Amino acid sequence: MDLYLMKFMAKYTDFNKEALQEIMGHMVVETYEKGTILLRQGDISSKCYLVLNGCVRQYSYGVEGKEITNDFFTEEQSVTLFKSYKLRLPSDYSLSCVEKTTLLIGDADTEEKMYVEYPALQNITRSMLELNLGETQDASARFMSKTPEERYRSLVEQRPGLINRVPQHQLASYLGITPESLSRIKKRLSQDSSG
Protein backbone atom coordinates (compact mmCIF):
# COMPACT_ATOMS: atom_id res chain seq x y z
CA MET A 1 0.00 0.00 0.00
CA ASP A 2 2.81 2.43 0.75
CA LEU A 3 4.03 1.90 -2.83
CA TYR A 4 0.82 3.41 -4.27
CA LEU A 5 1.03 6.35 -1.91
CA MET A 6 4.75 6.95 -2.48
CA LYS A 7 4.28 6.95 -6.27
CA PHE A 8 1.36 9.34 -6.01
CA MET A 9 3.05 11.73 -3.60
CA ALA A 10 6.29 11.74 -5.61
CA LYS A 11 4.32 12.61 -8.74
CA TYR A 12 2.58 15.62 -7.22
CA THR A 13 5.08 17.01 -4.74
CA ASP A 14 8.53 18.46 -4.56
CA PHE A 15 9.02 17.42 -0.93
CA ASN A 16 12.28 15.69 -0.10
CA LYS A 17 12.17 12.00 0.73
CA GLU A 18 12.26 12.58 4.50
CA ALA A 19 9.36 15.02 4.39
CA LEU A 20 7.40 12.60 2.18
CA GLN A 21 7.97 9.80 4.70
CA GLU A 22 6.83 12.06 7.53
CA ILE A 23 3.68 13.13 5.69
CA MET A 24 2.93 9.52 4.78
CA GLY A 25 3.21 8.59 8.45
CA HIS A 26 0.13 10.75 9.12
CA MET A 27 -1.92 9.33 6.27
CA VAL A 28 -4.31 6.42 6.43
CA VAL A 29 -4.41 4.00 3.52
CA GLU A 30 -7.05 1.26 3.50
CA THR A 31 -8.08 -1.40 1.03
CA TYR A 32 -11.79 -2.19 0.74
CA GLU A 33 -13.48 -5.15 -0.89
CA LYS A 34 -15.85 -4.84 -3.85
CA GLY A 35 -19.29 -3.73 -2.68
CA THR A 36 -18.11 -1.91 0.44
CA ILE A 37 -20.30 1.10 1.14
CA LEU A 38 -18.19 4.09 2.17
CA LEU A 39 -21.09 6.49 2.69
CA ARG A 40 -24.87 6.16 2.61
CA GLN A 41 -27.15 8.84 1.19
CA GLY A 42 -28.48 10.89 4.12
CA ASP A 43 -25.44 10.34 6.35
CA ILE A 44 -22.93 13.12 7.01
CA SER A 45 -19.57 12.58 5.34
CA SER A 46 -16.68 12.70 7.80
CA LYS A 47 -14.04 11.56 5.34
CA CYS A 48 -12.54 12.42 1.99
CA TYR A 49 -10.74 9.95 -0.24
CA LEU A 50 -8.15 9.69 -2.95
CA VAL A 51 -8.31 6.57 -5.11
CA LEU A 52 -4.87 4.97 -5.25
CA ASN A 53 -6.12 1.82 -6.96
CA GLY A 54 -9.64 0.69 -7.83
CA CYS A 55 -12.99 2.33 -8.52
CA VAL A 56 -15.58 4.15 -6.37
CA ARG A 57 -19.13 4.82 -7.56
CA GLN A 58 -21.20 7.84 -6.52
CA TYR A 59 -24.94 7.25 -6.72
CA SER A 60 -28.25 8.38 -5.32
CA TYR A 61 -31.82 7.19 -5.04
CA GLY A 62 -34.46 9.16 -6.93
CA VAL A 63 -37.97 9.92 -5.71
CA GLU A 64 -39.26 6.54 -6.82
CA GLY A 65 -36.35 4.74 -5.16
CA LYS A 66 -34.57 4.20 -8.47
CA GLU A 67 -30.79 4.05 -8.16
CA ILE A 68 -28.99 6.65 -10.30
CA THR A 69 -25.23 6.49 -10.89
CA ASN A 70 -23.75 10.00 -10.88
CA ASP A 71 -20.04 9.35 -11.28
CA PHE A 72 -17.15 6.91 -11.09
CA PHE A 73 -13.77 7.72 -9.54
CA THR A 74 -10.65 5.78 -10.47
CA GLU A 75 -6.91 6.05 -9.89
CA GLU A 76 -5.62 9.46 -8.77
CA GLN A 77 -9.09 10.97 -8.49
CA SER A 78 -10.35 12.70 -5.37
CA VAL A 79 -13.65 11.55 -3.88
CA THR A 80 -14.97 14.32 -1.66
CA LEU A 81 -18.61 15.23 -1.25
CA PHE A 82 -17.81 18.81 -0.25
CA LYS A 83 -21.31 19.92 0.73
CA SER A 84 -21.56 17.13 3.27
CA TYR A 85 -17.87 16.99 4.28
CA LYS A 86 -17.19 20.71 4.76
CA LEU A 87 -20.66 21.98 5.73
CA ARG A 88 -21.57 18.90 7.82
CA LEU A 89 -24.84 18.35 5.96
CA PRO A 90 -26.52 15.04 5.11
CA SER A 91 -25.11 13.68 1.87
CA ASP A 92 -27.19 13.67 -1.29
CA TYR A 93 -25.18 10.66 -2.49
CA SER A 94 -23.89 7.24 -1.53
CA LEU A 95 -20.37 5.99 -2.25
CA SER A 96 -19.41 2.36 -2.78
CA CYS A 97 -16.47 0.36 -4.12
CA VAL A 98 -17.13 -1.13 -7.56
CA GLU A 99 -14.07 -3.36 -7.21
CA LYS A 100 -11.38 -3.99 -4.62
CA THR A 101 -10.16 -0.45 -3.94
CA THR A 102 -7.22 1.12 -2.12
CA LEU A 103 -7.94 4.59 -0.77
CA LEU A 104 -6.00 7.35 0.93
CA ILE A 105 -8.40 8.54 3.63
CA GLY A 106 -8.55 12.00 5.08
CA ASP A 107 -10.61 13.70 7.75
CA ALA A 108 -11.08 17.39 8.48
CA ASP A 109 -9.08 17.50 11.75
CA THR A 110 -6.04 15.67 10.36
CA GLU A 111 -6.26 17.72 7.16
CA GLU A 112 -6.02 21.03 9.06
CA LYS A 113 -3.09 19.82 11.20
CA MET A 114 -1.23 18.66 8.09
CA TYR A 115 -1.74 22.01 6.37
CA VAL A 116 -0.25 23.83 9.38
CA GLU A 117 2.72 21.48 9.58
CA TYR A 118 3.28 21.31 5.79
CA PRO A 119 2.01 24.55 4.18
CA ALA A 120 3.07 23.36 0.70
CA LEU A 121 0.59 20.50 1.04
CA GLN A 122 -2.30 22.98 0.94
CA ASN A 123 -1.10 24.33 -2.43
CA ILE A 124 -0.79 20.82 -3.83
CA THR A 125 -4.27 19.91 -2.60
CA ARG A 126 -5.74 23.11 -4.02
CA SER A 127 -4.08 22.52 -7.41
CA MET A 128 -5.43 18.97 -7.55
CA LEU A 129 -8.94 20.12 -6.60
CA GLU A 130 -8.91 22.92 -9.16
CA LEU A 131 -7.85 20.47 -11.87
CA ASN A 132 -10.51 17.99 -10.76
CA LEU A 133 -13.20 20.70 -10.71
CA GLY A 134 -12.26 21.89 -14.19
CA GLU A 135 -12.41 18.35 -15.57
CA THR A 136 -15.77 17.76 -13.88
CA GLN A 137 -17.26 20.98 -15.26
CA ASP A 138 -16.05 20.21 -18.78
CA ALA A 139 -17.32 16.64 -18.63
CA SER A 140 -20.72 17.77 -17.33
CA ALA A 141 -21.15 20.36 -20.09
CA ARG A 142 -20.16 17.84 -22.79
CA PHE A 143 -22.42 15.19 -21.30
CA MET A 144 -25.53 17.38 -21.28
CA SER A 145 -25.19 18.36 -24.94
CA LYS A 146 -24.72 14.85 -26.38
CA THR A 147 -27.00 12.05 -27.46
CA PRO A 148 -26.75 8.76 -25.55
CA GLU A 149 -24.64 7.24 -28.34
CA GLU A 150 -22.30 10.24 -28.32
CA ARG A 151 -22.02 9.97 -24.51
CA TYR A 152 -21.03 6.32 -24.82
CA ARG A 153 -18.48 7.08 -27.56
CA SER A 154 -16.97 9.86 -25.44
CA LEU A 155 -16.74 7.53 -22.46
CA VAL A 156 -14.98 4.90 -24.59
CA GLU A 157 -12.52 7.54 -25.83
CA GLN A 158 -11.88 9.34 -22.55
CA ARG A 159 -12.12 6.51 -20.01
CA PRO A 160 -11.83 3.26 -21.99
CA GLY A 161 -10.88 1.16 -18.98
CA LEU A 162 -14.10 2.05 -17.18
CA ILE A 163 -16.27 0.20 -19.70
CA ASN A 164 -15.01 -3.21 -18.52
CA ARG A 165 -14.60 -2.29 -14.85
CA VAL A 166 -18.17 -1.45 -13.88
CA PRO A 167 -21.41 -3.42 -14.22
CA GLN A 168 -23.33 -2.53 -17.38
CA HIS A 169 -26.50 -1.50 -15.51
CA GLN A 170 -24.45 1.06 -13.54
CA LEU A 171 -22.80 2.27 -16.74
CA ALA A 172 -26.23 2.66 -18.38
CA SER A 173 -27.51 4.62 -15.38
CA TYR A 174 -24.44 6.90 -15.56
CA LEU A 175 -25.12 7.52 -19.26
CA GLY A 176 -28.78 8.26 -18.53
CA ILE A 177 -30.14 5.31 -20.51
CA THR A 178 -31.58 1.86 -19.87
CA PRO A 179 -29.35 -1.24 -19.95
CA GLU A 180 -31.26 -2.35 -23.07
CA SER A 181 -30.45 0.92 -24.84
CA LEU A 182 -26.80 0.53 -23.90
CA SER A 183 -26.79 -2.98 -25.37
CA ARG A 184 -28.29 -1.69 -28.63
CA ILE A 185 -25.72 1.13 -28.84
CA LYS A 186 -22.84 -1.26 -28.21
CA LYS A 187 -24.19 -3.71 -30.79
CA ARG A 188 -24.67 -0.97 -33.40
CA LEU A 189 -21.16 0.44 -32.84
CA SER A 190 -19.69 -3.05 -32.97
CA GLN A 191 -21.43 -3.73 -36.30
CA ASP A 192 -20.31 -0.34 -37.66
CA SER A 193 -16.67 -0.99 -36.77
CA SER A 194 -16.66 -4.53 -38.20
CA GLY A 195 -18.60 -3.69 -41.34
Side-chain angles (χ1 to χ4, degrees), residues 1-167:
M1 289 185 282
D2 284 341
L3 180 62
Y4 292 127
L5 184 55
M6 183 61 100
K7 283 182 180 178
F8 177 79
M9 291 295 289
K11 182 176 179 179
Y12 288 97
T13 68
D14 57 1
F15 291 116
N16 63 43
K17 190 173 182 176
E18 292 78 31
L20 270 178
Q21 290 290 352
E22 226 176 289
I23 291 169
M24 286 174 47
H26 294 285
M27 297 183 169
V28 176
V29 175
E30 294 283 340
T31 299
Y32 296 95
E33 293 301 317
K34 175 182 178 179
T36 301
I37 296 174
L38 302 170
L39 178 69
R40 292 184 192 282
Q41 186 174 342
D43 290 350
I44 294 174
S45 175
S46 62
K47 302 199 180 314
C48 59
Y49 306 95
L50 178 75
V51 180
L52 298 176
N53 189 29
C55 182
V56 173
R57 178 172 73 112
Q58 175 184 316
Y59 59 100
S60 59
Y61 293 94
V63 288
E64 297 171 7
K66 183 180 176 188
E67 196 174 276
I68 302 162
T69 299
N70 309 100
D71 211 344
F72 295 100
F73 303 93
T74 54
E75 289 76 12
E76 298 185 17
Q77 289 187 306
S78 170
V79 185
T80 307
L81 301 176
F82 286 102
K83 189 170 132 188
S84 182
Y85 179 69
K86 292 291 189 183
L87 301 178
R88 312 301 303 145
L89 295 171
S91 176
D92 294 330
Y93 306 99
S94 294
L95 298 171
S96 68
C97 298
V98 175
E99 57 193 24
K100 188 172 183 177
T101 303
T102 302
L103 300 169
L104 172 63
I105 305 167
D107 65 71
D109 293 337
T110 304
E111 188 178 307
E112 290 307 314
K113 289 176 192 171
M114 293 289 287
Y115 290 152
V116 169
E117 197 168 337
Y118 304 98
L121 193 58
Q122 191 164 10
N123 293 335
I124 292 163
T125 303
R126 189 185 75 231
S127 295
M128 288 172 50
L129 290 174
E130 287 170 353
L131 179 64
N132 194 352
L133 178 61
E135 289 172 353
T136 301
Q137 288 174 331
D138 290 346
S140 179
R142 284 190 307 266
F143 184 85
M144 297 302 283
S145 65
K146 293 185 176 185
T147 66
E149 186 169 319
E150 290 170 332
R151 289 181 203 152
Y152 178 77
R153 285 178 190 245
S154 290
L155 189 63
V156 169
E157 288 171 17
Q158 294 165 9
R159 299 180 78 183
L162 197 60
I163 304 299
N164 297 319
R165 291 175 77 174
V166 302

